[in-house]
Amino acid sequence: VNNSLLVVLIASGIAYGTPLLFGALGELLTERSGVLNLGVEGMMLVGAVMGFWTVERVHAGAVATLVLAVLVAAFSGAVMAAIHAFLAITLRASQIVSGLALTLFAGAAGLSSYLGNDLNLSDLPANHAFHAVFPASMQRWSIVGPIVFGQNPLVYASWVLVVAITYYLARTRPGLNLRAVGESPAAADAMGVSVVKYRYLHTLAGGALAGVAGATFTLAITPQWVDGITEGAGWIAIALVIFAFWRPGLCLIGAYFFGALQALAPELQARSINLGPTELWSNALPYVATVVVLVFVSWRGGRRRLGAPAALGIPYAREEPA
Amino acid sequence: VRLAVERRLEQPRWLAVAVPLASIVFAFAVAAVVLVVTGHDPISSYRQLFDAAFVSNGSIDQTLISATPLAFTGLAAAAAFRMRIFNIGAEGQLYMGAITGAAAGLYFGGRGGPSAFAIAAMVVAGCAGGALWASIPGVLRAFFGTSEILTSLMLNYVAGFVLTYLIFQSESYWRQTKGFNATVFPTGKPLPASAVWPTWTVHAQGGIAVPLGAGFAVLAGIVLWVLYRRTRFGFEVQVLGDSDGAARYAGVRTRRKILAVMAISGAVAGLGGASQVGDFAHALDGDPNGLQKLGYGYSGIVVAALGRYNPFAVLLVAFLIGGLDNAGNTLQGADFPSGLVGVIQGIILFSALGGELLTRHRVRVLRTPAPVEAVS
């Protein structure tokens, strides 16, 4: 059973979907505060390179090094997000152009590539990587073995995060304030909630999660550094937030769906199932599927954009009309 | 002392020039900090950069090779962004223009007609290929309200896969299938001589070869300027960009305008693709580490923003950023790690954006009012 196409696709869909999930959860927090950050791809890549650098340069126990690497990745993602936060929140620049600038600055031909080159990280085998933690006998259990017990610790961390963010948004005072800031900053301001503080904090949190998403690539999925290793995952993560109507639980389902689409290509080739120009359509599949689902969602959602924070993308300044 | 930021009622003209210039200076200063922190000497790096970009023998030739595609993608981005239509798809539209342009060149160049005819066919095909590819996000935006940002970006990846597929994974019309080399490493079929775009030599710096594509880029800039500044169409599109609702009440056909702007933007990027084939590569470049690594479509956004979406300024900025790109390629090595050019471009864009605030707003220093004396 464990070798059937469906089980393999679900198990590897979860593995490949985890960086998408981290990225989407981060962007969800940012967007819920009313800030659109299109720099996810760039923040992911910087997180990926810095996480990998930590693993290569720090000599400590495997667990300590990996935990440190994830923290470094989160921190570097947050630093990148701080640039966007300053431009978008304080200077009230166009959030779309600023986010794009962040991806150009940090992305595949920018800072991440510069750091990867300058720190000599290309073509190195990883000193440590995240592996499955449960005993091999449990991983052999049918169906739940590979799907639940065959995953690396980052996957379990992402599950905890989904629950935590859902609880935070629905059941806590800061979560409620956050939603107020995203829906109606003027009302939140009048209530005594600091719009600037909430927007900064959640933009930084979004960056930190994007950094962790990048580290998921270089520490778990393919433990090495390659220029532009994320291959557009950051953009798919942004699209996922829209598909998920800005809800964490739906982000998880969407991320695993897209993860499975990415896993489909190598899996079909491994089983020598040939369906026409396989390389072309299976490479392009996740990207085409993103477009199709986006169209479907925006069409059904119509003008109301189900769940989109009302103030998304609009800078806030007291006493100045939007 | 407090600072107050307030809206300017009028924007002084000199700021439109001063802000982009200051952005470039600021970007180089920040990049110098990055260089120092990572243990490089910024002064020597910058001297080499300037030398390789504009001074040394043959450097202008090389700069024009980088500047020409940037002029096209910059104009493509400017044509759309100015109207608040965020076409991030110039990259993919350029690939598509290269594919259709190369097809036209291979087909018409090999039939013994006049060279001008083959080149004209490539121009038309390149524009059409880019415009059609851009029309996909255009239609989705106009009829379904789907964000063109994400769809146009996703299609860049798809176009890249198509490009690689045509040369590396299939025996397509574009692929060289004869000869020894073709069996070792897949390449595109070379264009017939009559489909190769000519250059025009300027006598300076030991003879500068100006590619025909650079001429087309200037022409495209002029056409865009006239279209947006001097026609009813341009005015209506501008109204649409400023206020969707106002345009609709005034009877502007908003769907058609969105479609038209996307198609125009895509056509310019597609022409850039045809120019890549006709001017420089003389074959379709499907290598994932070739044309696709250069990211002209994305750099075009920097060019457009720095030129403040004005076609003529975009052409000038394309030349400067082209110099930066060219220097980055020639100098890659110890003093000039790869990725540095992207870093500098990113910072230029950040500072241009921050500078926008200064053109729109004025920063005033407020003195705290003197305490009022109590009346005794």
Side-chain angles (χ1 to χ4, degrees), chain A residues 83 87 91 96 98 100-102 104-105 109-111 113-114 117-118 232 235 242 277 279-280 283 287 291 294-295 298 320, chain B residues 7 38 40 86 88 140 144 146 150 153-154 157 161-162 165 169 298 302 337-339 342-343 346-347 349-350 353-354 357:
Chain A
I83 304 174
L87 280 164
L91 295 187
I96 292 174
S98 164
L100 281 173
L102 182 55
L104 287 171
F105 168 73
L111 188 64
S113 159
Y114 177 87
N117 262 286
D118 216 48
W235 294 102
I242 303 175
E279 294 98 338
L280 179 59
N283 279 334
Y287 305 97
V291 174
L294 267 177
V295 171
S298 50
E320 209 173 271
Chain B
R7 227 169 244 279
T38 48
H40 300 276
F86 294 97
I88 323 291
L140 297 180
F144 303 105
T146 314
L150 289 167
L153 191 109
M154 289 293 138
Y157 289 94
F161 290 128
V162 171
Y165 176 77
Q169 290 148 358
Y298 300 113
V302 182
S338 81
V343 170
I347 304 173
L349 192 45
F350 283 136
L353 263 175
L357 182 91

Short mmCIF file of all heavy atoms in Angstrom, two decimals, chain A residues 83 87 91 96 98 100-102 104-105 109-111 113-114 117-118 232 235 242 277 279-280 283 287 291 294-295 298 320, chain B residues 7 38 40 86 88 140 144 146 150 153-154 157 161-162 165 169 298 302 337-339 342-343 346-347 349-350 353-354 357:
data_model
loop_
_atom_site.label_atom_id
_atom_site.label_comp_id
_atom_site.label_asym_id
_atom_site.label_seq_id
_atom_site.Cartn_x
_atom_site.Cartn_y
_atom_site.Cartn_z
N ILE A 83 12.91 45.92 5.52
CA ILE A 83 13.08 46.92 4.46
C ILE A 83 11.72 47.26 3.87
O ILE A 83 11.35 48.42 3.70
CB ILE A 83 14.01 46.37 3.35
CG1 ILE A 83 15.35 45.94 3.92
CG2 ILE A 83 14.18 47.41 2.25
CD1 ILE A 83 16.24 45.26 2.89
N LEU A 87 9.55 50.88 3.98
CA LEU A 87 9.08 51.57 2.78
C LEU A 87 7.55 51.63 2.73
O LEU A 87 6.96 52.65 2.40
CB LEU A 87 9.60 50.85 1.53
CG LEU A 87 11.05 51.18 1.17
CD1 LEU A 87 11.60 50.17 0.21
CD2 LEU A 87 11.12 52.57 0.57
N LEU A 91 7.20 55.00 5.00
CA LEU A 91 7.28 55.93 3.87
C LEU A 91 6.03 55.87 2.99
O LEU A 91 5.90 56.66 2.06
CB LEU A 91 8.52 55.65 3.03
CG LEU A 91 9.87 55.90 3.71
CD1 LEU A 91 11.01 55.75 2.72
CD2 LEU A 91 9.91 57.30 4.31
N ILE A 96 3.14 47.30 -3.89
CA ILE A 96 3.40 46.36 -4.98
C ILE A 96 4.83 46.52 -5.47
O ILE A 96 5.59 45.55 -5.55
CB ILE A 96 2.39 46.58 -6.13
CG1 ILE A 96 0.98 46.17 -5.66
CG2 ILE A 96 2.79 45.80 -7.36
CD1 ILE A 96 -0.11 46.46 -6.63
N SER A 98 7.35 48.02 -4.01
CA SER A 98 8.32 47.77 -2.96
C SER A 98 8.55 46.27 -2.76
O SER A 98 9.68 45.81 -2.59
CB SER A 98 7.84 48.41 -1.66
OG SER A 98 8.54 47.89 -0.57
N LEU A 100 8.09 43.93 -5.03
CA LEU A 100 8.84 43.46 -6.20
C LEU A 100 10.31 43.81 -6.04
O LEU A 100 11.20 43.01 -6.35
CB LEU A 100 8.32 44.15 -7.46
CG LEU A 100 7.05 43.62 -8.04
CD1 LEU A 100 6.59 44.52 -9.17
CD2 LEU A 100 7.29 42.22 -8.57
N ALA A 101 10.57 45.02 -5.55
CA ALA A 101 11.96 45.45 -5.36
C ALA A 101 12.66 44.52 -4.39
O ALA A 101 13.82 44.17 -4.57
CB ALA A 101 11.98 46.89 -4.85
N LEU A 102 11.94 44.10 -3.36
CA LEU A 102 12.54 43.20 -2.37
C LEU A 102 12.91 41.87 -3.01
O LEU A 102 13.99 41.31 -2.75
CB LEU A 102 11.56 42.98 -1.21
CG LEU A 102 12.07 42.11 -0.07
CD1 LEU A 102 13.38 42.65 0.48
CD2 LEU A 102 11.04 42.02 1.04
N LEU A 104 13.63 41.41 -6.19
CA LEU A 104 14.78 41.64 -7.07
C LEU A 104 16.05 41.78 -6.25
O LEU A 104 17.10 41.24 -6.59
CB LEU A 104 14.57 42.93 -7.87
CG LEU A 104 13.56 42.87 -9.00
CD1 LEU A 104 13.32 44.26 -9.54
CD2 LEU A 104 14.07 41.96 -10.09
N PHE A 105 15.95 42.50 -5.12
CA PHE A 105 17.11 42.78 -4.28
C PHE A 105 17.64 41.50 -3.65
O PHE A 105 18.84 41.22 -3.66
CB PHE A 105 16.72 43.78 -3.20
CG PHE A 105 17.73 43.94 -2.10
CD1 PHE A 105 18.92 44.60 -2.33
CD2 PHE A 105 17.49 43.42 -0.84
CE1 PHE A 105 19.85 44.74 -1.32
CE2 PHE A 105 18.41 43.55 0.17
CZ PHE A 105 19.60 44.22 -0.07
N ALA A 109 18.94 36.60 -8.46
CA ALA A 109 20.10 37.25 -9.06
C ALA A 109 20.63 38.34 -8.13
O ALA A 109 21.43 39.16 -8.53
CB ALA A 109 19.73 37.83 -10.43
N GLY A 110 20.18 38.34 -6.88
CA GLY A 110 20.55 39.41 -5.97
C GLY A 110 21.31 38.92 -4.75
O GLY A 110 22.20 38.08 -4.85
N LEU A 111 20.88 39.42 -3.59
CA LEU A 111 21.63 39.18 -2.35
C LEU A 111 21.84 37.69 -2.05
O LEU A 111 22.93 37.29 -1.64
CB LEU A 111 20.89 39.85 -1.18
CG LEU A 111 21.64 39.86 0.14
CD1 LEU A 111 22.91 40.69 0.04
CD2 LEU A 111 20.75 40.41 1.26
N SER A 113 22.12 35.19 -4.05
CA SER A 113 23.16 34.67 -4.93
C SER A 113 24.53 35.22 -4.53
O SER A 113 25.53 34.49 -4.50
CB SER A 113 22.81 35.05 -6.37
OG SER A 113 23.93 35.01 -7.18
N TYR A 114 24.55 36.51 -4.17
CA TYR A 114 25.80 37.14 -3.72
C TYR A 114 26.34 36.43 -2.49
O TYR A 114 27.52 36.08 -2.42
CB TYR A 114 25.50 38.62 -3.41
CG TYR A 114 26.67 39.41 -2.85
CD1 TYR A 114 27.57 40.01 -3.72
CD2 TYR A 114 26.86 39.54 -1.48
CE1 TYR A 114 28.64 40.74 -3.22
CE2 TYR A 114 27.93 40.27 -0.98
CZ TYR A 114 28.81 40.87 -1.85
OH TYR A 114 29.87 41.58 -1.35
N ASN A 117 27.59 32.89 -3.25
CA ASN A 117 28.89 32.93 -3.92
C ASN A 117 30.00 33.33 -2.98
O ASN A 117 31.07 32.73 -2.96
CB ASN A 117 28.84 33.96 -5.03
CG ASN A 117 28.59 33.32 -6.35
OD1 ASN A 117 29.48 32.69 -6.91
ND2 ASN A 117 27.37 33.44 -6.83
N ASP A 118 29.73 34.41 -2.23
CA ASP A 118 30.77 35.00 -1.41
C ASP A 118 31.12 34.09 -0.23
O ASP A 118 32.24 34.10 0.25
CB ASP A 118 30.29 36.36 -0.90
CG ASP A 118 31.44 37.34 -0.84
OD1 ASP A 118 32.18 37.41 -1.84
OD2 ASP A 118 31.61 37.99 0.21
N GLY A 232 10.35 29.93 -7.57
CA GLY A 232 9.00 30.51 -7.62
C GLY A 232 8.06 30.08 -6.52
O GLY A 232 6.89 30.46 -6.52
N TRP A 235 6.16 32.86 -4.82
CA TRP A 235 5.00 33.41 -5.54
C TRP A 235 3.80 32.51 -5.38
O TRP A 235 2.67 32.98 -5.24
CB TRP A 235 5.35 33.61 -7.01
CG TRP A 235 6.39 34.65 -7.19
CD1 TRP A 235 7.72 34.46 -7.45
CD2 TRP A 235 6.21 36.07 -7.10
NE1 TRP A 235 8.37 35.66 -7.53
CE2 TRP A 235 7.47 36.67 -7.33
CE3 TRP A 235 5.10 36.88 -6.85
CZ2 TRP A 235 7.65 38.05 -7.31
CZ3 TRP A 235 5.28 38.25 -6.84
CH2 TRP A 235 6.54 38.83 -7.07
N ILE A 242 -4.48 33.67 -1.23
CA ILE A 242 -5.75 34.05 -1.87
C ILE A 242 -6.66 32.84 -1.97
O ILE A 242 -7.85 32.91 -1.64
CB ILE A 242 -5.48 34.66 -3.26
CG1 ILE A 242 -4.54 35.85 -3.13
CG2 ILE A 242 -6.78 35.06 -3.93
CD1 ILE A 242 -4.11 36.46 -4.45
N PRO A 277 4.72 15.09 -23.97
CA PRO A 277 5.93 15.83 -23.56
C PRO A 277 5.97 15.99 -22.04
O PRO A 277 5.67 17.05 -21.50
CB PRO A 277 5.80 17.17 -24.28
CG PRO A 277 4.35 17.32 -24.58
CD PRO A 277 3.77 15.94 -24.69
N GLU A 279 8.23 16.27 -19.66
CA GLU A 279 9.01 17.31 -18.98
C GLU A 279 8.27 18.63 -19.01
O GLU A 279 8.20 19.33 -18.01
CB GLU A 279 10.38 17.51 -19.66
CG GLU A 279 11.30 16.34 -19.56
CD GLU A 279 11.26 15.49 -20.82
OE1 GLU A 279 10.24 15.58 -21.54
OE2 GLU A 279 12.22 14.76 -21.06
N LEU A 280 7.72 18.94 -20.19
CA LEU A 280 7.08 20.24 -20.35
C LEU A 280 5.87 20.36 -19.43
O LEU A 280 5.79 21.25 -18.60
CB LEU A 280 6.67 20.46 -21.80
CG LEU A 280 5.98 21.80 -22.05
CD1 LEU A 280 6.88 22.95 -21.66
CD2 LEU A 280 5.59 21.93 -23.50
N ASN A 283 6.61 19.97 -15.53
CA ASN A 283 7.30 21.12 -14.95
C ASN A 283 6.36 22.30 -14.80
O ASN A 283 6.38 23.01 -13.80
CB ASN A 283 8.46 21.56 -15.85
CG ASN A 283 9.69 20.70 -15.66
OD1 ASN A 283 9.87 20.13 -14.59
ND2 ASN A 283 10.50 20.60 -16.68
N TYR A 287 2.58 25.81 -11.95
CA TYR A 287 2.40 27.22 -12.31
C TYR A 287 1.08 27.42 -13.04
O TYR A 287 0.34 28.37 -12.78
CB TYR A 287 3.59 27.69 -13.16
CG TYR A 287 4.91 27.43 -12.48
CD1 TYR A 287 5.67 26.31 -12.77
CD2 TYR A 287 5.38 28.29 -11.49
CE1 TYR A 287 6.86 26.05 -12.13
CE2 TYR A 287 6.56 28.04 -10.83
CZ TYR A 287 7.30 26.92 -11.15
OH TYR A 287 8.48 26.67 -10.50
N VAL A 291 -2.48 29.54 -11.88
CA VAL A 291 -3.27 30.48 -12.67
C VAL A 291 -4.73 30.03 -12.69
O VAL A 291 -5.64 30.83 -12.45
CB VAL A 291 -2.70 30.58 -14.11
CG1 VAL A 291 -3.61 31.44 -14.98
CG2 VAL A 291 -1.30 31.16 -14.08
N LEU A 294 -6.43 30.55 -9.34
CA LEU A 294 -6.61 31.99 -9.11
C LEU A 294 -7.82 32.51 -9.87
O LEU A 294 -8.62 33.29 -9.33
CB LEU A 294 -5.37 32.76 -9.58
CG LEU A 294 -4.29 33.06 -8.57
CD1 LEU A 294 -3.14 33.75 -9.25
CD2 LEU A 294 -4.84 33.93 -7.46
N VAL A 295 -7.93 32.11 -11.13
CA VAL A 295 -9.05 32.57 -11.94
C VAL A 295 -10.35 32.09 -11.31
O VAL A 295 -11.29 32.86 -11.12
CB VAL A 295 -8.94 32.03 -13.38
CG1 VAL A 295 -10.21 32.34 -14.16
CG2 VAL A 295 -7.75 32.64 -14.07
N SER A 298 -11.11 34.07 -8.10
CA SER A 298 -11.49 35.48 -8.27
C SER A 298 -12.83 35.56 -8.99
O SER A 298 -13.60 36.50 -8.79
CB SER A 298 -10.41 36.25 -9.02
OG SER A 298 -10.05 35.58 -10.19
N GLU A 320 -5.27 61.49 6.80
CA GLU A 320 -5.07 61.63 5.36
C GLU A 320 -5.97 60.61 4.68
O GLU A 320 -5.94 59.44 5.03
CB GLU A 320 -3.61 61.36 5.00
CG GLU A 320 -3.16 62.12 3.78
CD GLU A 320 -1.66 61.98 3.56
OE1 GLU A 320 -0.89 62.79 4.10
OE2 GLU A 320 -1.28 61.04 2.86
N ARG B 7 1.53 66.69 2.35
CA ARG B 7 1.41 66.59 0.92
C ARG B 7 1.82 67.90 0.24
O ARG B 7 1.45 68.97 0.69
CB ARG B 7 -0.05 66.27 0.57
CG ARG B 7 -0.21 65.16 -0.40
CD ARG B 7 -1.67 64.75 -0.46
NE ARG B 7 -1.84 63.38 0.01
CZ ARG B 7 -1.61 62.31 -0.74
NH1 ARG B 7 -1.18 62.46 -1.99
NH2 ARG B 7 -1.79 61.11 -0.28
N THR B 38 31.48 42.45 3.53
CA THR B 38 31.87 41.12 3.07
C THR B 38 33.34 41.08 2.63
O THR B 38 33.76 40.16 1.95
CB THR B 38 30.96 40.65 1.92
OG1 THR B 38 30.86 41.70 0.96
CG2 THR B 38 29.58 40.31 2.42
N HIS B 40 35.41 43.37 0.74
CA HIS B 40 35.91 43.79 -0.57
C HIS B 40 36.22 45.27 -0.51
O HIS B 40 35.77 45.97 0.38
CB HIS B 40 34.86 43.53 -1.65
CG HIS B 40 34.47 42.09 -1.78
ND1 HIS B 40 35.19 41.19 -2.51
CD2 HIS B 40 33.44 41.41 -1.25
CE1 HIS B 40 34.62 40.01 -2.43
NE2 HIS B 40 33.56 40.11 -1.65
N PHE B 86 -0.09 45.95 -13.39
CA PHE B 86 1.23 45.48 -13.01
C PHE B 86 1.60 44.22 -13.78
O PHE B 86 1.44 43.11 -13.30
CB PHE B 86 1.32 45.29 -11.49
CG PHE B 86 1.20 46.59 -10.76
CD1 PHE B 86 -0.01 47.02 -10.25
CD2 PHE B 86 2.30 47.42 -10.65
CE1 PHE B 86 -0.12 48.24 -9.61
CE2 PHE B 86 2.20 48.64 -10.01
CZ PHE B 86 0.99 49.06 -9.49
N ILE B 88 4.08 41.85 -14.66
CA ILE B 88 5.40 41.38 -14.24
C ILE B 88 5.88 40.34 -15.26
O ILE B 88 6.83 39.63 -15.03
CB ILE B 88 5.34 40.71 -12.85
CG1 ILE B 88 4.38 41.41 -11.93
CG2 ILE B 88 6.71 40.66 -12.18
CD1 ILE B 88 4.79 42.76 -11.50
N LEU B 140 -7.73 37.51 -18.36
CA LEU B 140 -8.14 37.06 -17.03
C LEU B 140 -8.44 38.24 -16.12
O LEU B 140 -9.39 38.21 -15.34
CB LEU B 140 -7.04 36.18 -16.42
CG LEU B 140 -6.74 34.89 -17.18
CD1 LEU B 140 -5.65 34.10 -16.50
CD2 LEU B 140 -7.99 34.04 -17.34
N PHE B 144 -12.33 38.28 -15.51
CA PHE B 144 -12.56 37.55 -14.27
C PHE B 144 -12.06 38.31 -13.05
O PHE B 144 -12.21 37.85 -11.93
CB PHE B 144 -11.89 36.17 -14.32
CG PHE B 144 -12.35 35.34 -15.48
CD1 PHE B 144 -11.53 35.16 -16.57
CD2 PHE B 144 -13.61 34.77 -15.47
CE1 PHE B 144 -11.96 34.40 -17.65
CE2 PHE B 144 -14.05 34.02 -16.54
CZ PHE B 144 -13.22 33.83 -17.64
N THR B 146 -9.01 38.65 -12.15
CA THR B 146 -7.88 37.97 -11.54
C THR B 146 -6.66 38.88 -11.53
O THR B 146 -6.37 39.52 -12.54
CB THR B 146 -7.53 36.70 -12.33
OG1 THR B 146 -8.73 36.00 -12.59
CG2 THR B 146 -6.58 35.82 -11.56
N LEU B 150 0.12 38.03 -10.24
CA LEU B 150 0.48 36.62 -10.05
C LEU B 150 0.37 35.83 -11.34
O LEU B 150 1.24 35.02 -11.64
CB LEU B 150 -0.42 36.00 -8.97
CG LEU B 150 -0.09 36.52 -7.57
CD1 LEU B 150 -1.18 36.14 -6.59
CD2 LEU B 150 1.24 35.98 -7.09
N LEU B 153 3.25 36.56 -13.69
CA LEU B 153 4.50 36.01 -13.15
C LEU B 153 4.57 34.49 -13.34
O LEU B 153 5.59 33.94 -13.73
CB LEU B 153 4.60 36.35 -11.68
CG LEU B 153 6.00 36.01 -11.26
CD1 LEU B 153 6.78 37.25 -11.01
CD2 LEU B 153 6.02 35.10 -10.12
N MET B 154 3.46 33.80 -13.05
CA MET B 154 3.43 32.34 -13.22
C MET B 154 3.74 31.98 -14.67
O MET B 154 4.42 31.00 -14.96
CB MET B 154 2.06 31.79 -12.85
CG MET B 154 1.76 31.85 -11.36
SD MET B 154 2.83 30.74 -10.48
CE MET B 154 3.26 31.69 -9.07
N TYR B 157 7.38 31.46 -15.78
CA TYR B 157 7.97 30.13 -15.58
C TYR B 157 7.54 29.20 -16.70
O TYR B 157 8.34 28.44 -17.25
CB TYR B 157 7.57 29.57 -14.22
CG TYR B 157 8.25 30.28 -13.06
CD1 TYR B 157 7.62 31.33 -12.41
CD2 TYR B 157 9.52 29.92 -12.66
CE1 TYR B 157 8.23 32.00 -11.37
CE2 TYR B 157 10.14 30.58 -11.62
CZ TYR B 157 9.49 31.62 -10.97
OH TYR B 157 10.12 32.28 -9.95
N PHE B 161 9.85 27.17 -19.45
CA PHE B 161 9.83 25.72 -19.70
C PHE B 161 9.60 25.43 -21.18
O PHE B 161 10.20 24.50 -21.74
CB PHE B 161 8.74 25.04 -18.87
CG PHE B 161 9.04 25.00 -17.40
CD1 PHE B 161 8.14 25.46 -16.46
CD2 PHE B 161 10.27 24.50 -16.94
CE1 PHE B 161 8.43 25.43 -15.11
CE2 PHE B 161 10.56 24.47 -15.59
CZ PHE B 161 9.65 24.94 -14.67
N VAL B 162 8.72 26.24 -21.83
CA VAL B 162 8.48 26.03 -23.26
C VAL B 162 9.77 26.26 -24.03
O VAL B 162 10.16 25.46 -24.90
CB VAL B 162 7.37 26.99 -23.76
CG1 VAL B 162 7.27 26.94 -25.28
CG2 VAL B 162 6.03 26.63 -23.13
N TYR B 165 12.10 23.44 -23.52
CA TYR B 165 11.55 22.26 -24.17
C TYR B 165 11.84 22.25 -25.67
O TYR B 165 12.25 21.23 -26.22
CB TYR B 165 10.04 22.20 -23.93
CG TYR B 165 9.35 21.06 -24.63
CD1 TYR B 165 9.45 19.77 -24.12
CD2 TYR B 165 8.64 21.27 -25.81
CE1 TYR B 165 8.84 18.72 -24.77
CE2 TYR B 165 8.04 20.21 -26.46
CZ TYR B 165 8.14 18.94 -25.94
OH TYR B 165 7.55 17.90 -26.58
N GLN B 169 14.41 19.35 -25.16
CA GLN B 169 13.64 18.13 -24.90
C GLN B 169 12.81 17.68 -26.09
O GLN B 169 11.96 16.82 -25.95
CB GLN B 169 12.75 18.35 -23.66
CG GLN B 169 13.57 18.43 -22.39
CD GLN B 169 12.97 19.35 -21.36
OE1 GLN B 169 11.94 19.97 -21.58
NE2 GLN B 169 13.61 19.44 -20.21
N TYR B 298 12.78 41.20 -15.43
CA TYR B 298 12.68 41.71 -14.06
C TYR B 298 13.47 43.01 -13.91
O TYR B 298 12.99 43.96 -13.30
CB TYR B 298 13.17 40.66 -13.07
CG TYR B 298 12.37 39.38 -13.14
CD1 TYR B 298 12.93 38.19 -13.59
CD2 TYR B 298 11.02 39.39 -12.78
CE1 TYR B 298 12.17 37.03 -13.68
CE2 TYR B 298 10.26 38.23 -12.87
CZ TYR B 298 10.84 37.06 -13.32
OH TYR B 298 10.09 35.92 -13.41
N VAL B 302 12.98 47.70 -12.76
CA VAL B 302 13.85 48.70 -12.13
C VAL B 302 14.03 49.88 -13.09
O VAL B 302 13.93 51.05 -12.69
CB VAL B 302 15.23 48.10 -11.80
CG1 VAL B 302 16.11 49.12 -11.11
CG2 VAL B 302 15.09 46.85 -10.96
N PRO B 337 31.64 39.88 -6.89
CA PRO B 337 30.89 38.61 -6.82
C PRO B 337 29.58 38.71 -7.59
O PRO B 337 28.97 39.77 -7.62
CB PRO B 337 30.62 38.43 -5.33
CG PRO B 337 31.47 39.43 -4.64
CD PRO B 337 31.75 40.53 -5.60
N SER B 338 29.17 37.61 -8.20
CA SER B 338 27.90 37.62 -8.92
C SER B 338 26.78 37.89 -7.93
O SER B 338 26.88 37.56 -6.76
CB SER B 338 27.66 36.28 -9.61
OG SER B 338 27.16 35.35 -8.68
N GLY B 339 25.72 38.46 -8.40
CA GLY B 339 24.63 38.82 -7.50
C GLY B 339 24.75 40.26 -7.04
O GLY B 339 23.77 40.86 -6.65
N GLY B 342 22.47 42.58 -8.97
CA GLY B 342 21.08 42.51 -8.51
C GLY B 342 20.89 43.28 -7.22
O GLY B 342 19.88 43.95 -7.03
N VAL B 343 21.88 43.18 -6.32
CA VAL B 343 21.80 43.91 -5.05
C VAL B 343 21.73 45.41 -5.33
O VAL B 343 20.86 46.11 -4.79
CB VAL B 343 23.01 43.57 -4.16
CG1 VAL B 343 23.07 44.49 -2.95
CG2 VAL B 343 22.95 42.12 -3.72
N GLY B 346 18.43 46.38 -6.82
CA GLY B 346 17.37 46.37 -5.80
C GLY B 346 17.41 47.62 -4.95
O GLY B 346 16.39 48.24 -4.69
N ILE B 347 18.63 48.01 -4.53
CA ILE B 347 18.73 49.19 -3.67
C ILE B 347 18.34 50.45 -4.45
O ILE B 347 17.69 51.35 -3.90
CB ILE B 347 20.15 49.32 -3.07
CG1 ILE B 347 20.52 48.04 -2.31
CG2 ILE B 347 20.21 50.51 -2.11
CD1 ILE B 347 21.95 48.03 -1.85
N LEU B 349 16.14 50.63 -6.72
CA LEU B 349 14.68 50.65 -6.77
C LEU B 349 14.08 51.06 -5.42
O LEU B 349 13.15 51.87 -5.36
CB LEU B 349 14.17 49.26 -7.19
CG LEU B 349 12.71 49.10 -7.57
CD1 LEU B 349 12.26 50.21 -8.48
CD2 LEU B 349 12.50 47.77 -8.25
N PHE B 350 14.65 50.53 -4.32
CA PHE B 350 14.18 50.93 -2.99
C PHE B 350 14.32 52.44 -2.81
O PHE B 350 13.39 53.11 -2.34
CB PHE B 350 15.01 50.26 -1.90
CG PHE B 350 14.67 48.82 -1.66
CD1 PHE B 350 15.67 47.87 -1.50
CD2 PHE B 350 13.36 48.41 -1.56
CE1 PHE B 350 15.37 46.55 -1.27
CE2 PHE B 350 13.04 47.09 -1.33
CZ PHE B 350 14.06 46.15 -1.18
N LEU B 353 11.89 54.45 -4.76
CA LEU B 353 10.58 54.39 -4.13
C LEU B 353 10.48 55.31 -2.93
O LEU B 353 9.52 56.04 -2.76
CB LEU B 353 10.33 52.97 -3.64
CG LEU B 353 9.53 52.06 -4.51
CD1 LEU B 353 9.50 50.69 -3.89
CD2 LEU B 353 8.14 52.62 -4.63
N GLY B 354 11.52 55.24 -2.07
CA GLY B 354 11.55 56.12 -0.91
C GLY B 354 11.55 57.56 -1.35
O GLY B 354 10.90 58.42 -0.75
N LEU B 357 8.35 59.55 -2.01
CA LEU B 357 7.73 60.24 -0.89
C LEU B 357 8.14 61.71 -0.88
O LEU B 357 7.33 62.59 -0.61
CB LEU B 357 8.12 59.58 0.43
CG LEU B 357 7.47 60.22 1.66
CD1 LEU B 357 6.17 59.54 1.99
CD2 LEU B 357 8.39 60.20 2.85
#
